[in-house]
């Protein structure tokens, strides 16, 4: 899928986190560039971002995080660094080692 069709797939989604997901440098994460995401990940991310209820996705072996606007209060002070980060890093105090 080319980058324009991937952007279009997420372009209709409103909200701050949807905009952050579109702008994020995903190529710096294990997920790779947004335009290279598999269909299943794009669908899962769109579902999370479109939902009004708090939703969170930890994808792949590294548990790379995507979440929606409603989930941000759950993250609290961690929200700023959590997008695209590893869940074990964000939740180190509760993640089993």
């Amino acid at each position: 899928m080319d980058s324009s069709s991937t952007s279009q797939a997420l372009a209709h989604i409103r909200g701050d986190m949807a905009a952050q997901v579109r702008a994020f440098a995903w190529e710096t994460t294990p997920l790779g560039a947004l335009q290279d995401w598999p269909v299943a990940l794009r669908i899962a991310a769109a579902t999370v971002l479109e939902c009004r209820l708090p939703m969170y996705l930890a994808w792949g072996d590294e548990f790379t995080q995507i979440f929606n606007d409603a989930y941000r209060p759950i993250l609290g002070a961690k929200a700023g660094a959590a997008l695209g980060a590893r869940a074990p890093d964000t939740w180190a105090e509760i993640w089993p080692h």
Side-chain angles (χ1 to χ4, degrees):
M1 173 172 263
D2 65 35
S3 61
S4 62
S5 56
T6 301
S7 297
Q8 290 173 359
L10 298 176
H12 71 283
I13 303 171
R14 305 284 183 231
D16 183 52
M17 288 311 304
Q20 287 189 44
V21 166
R22 287 189 296 270
F24 193 82
W26 291 104
E27 61 277 2
T28 65
T29 75
L31 300 185
L34 185 63
Q35 65 266 18
D36 297 332
W37 285 7
V39 172
L41 176 53
R42 289 193 315 268
I43 291 170
T47 300
V48 166
L49 294 168
E50 289 178 322
C51 188
R52 291 183 178 180
L53 298 173
M55 288 190 73
Y56 169 92
L57 175 66
W59 189 272
D61 294 340
E62 296 294 320
F63 302 99
T64 304
Q65 302 170 124
I66 301 168
F67 51 92
N68 64 7
D69 292 320
Y71 195 82
R72 288 169 76 173
I74 294 169
L75 286 162
K78 299 172 186 242
L83 183 64
R86 297 173 63 248
D89 296 338
T90 301
W91 300 109
E93 69 275 13
I94 61 169
W95 202 268
H97 296 279

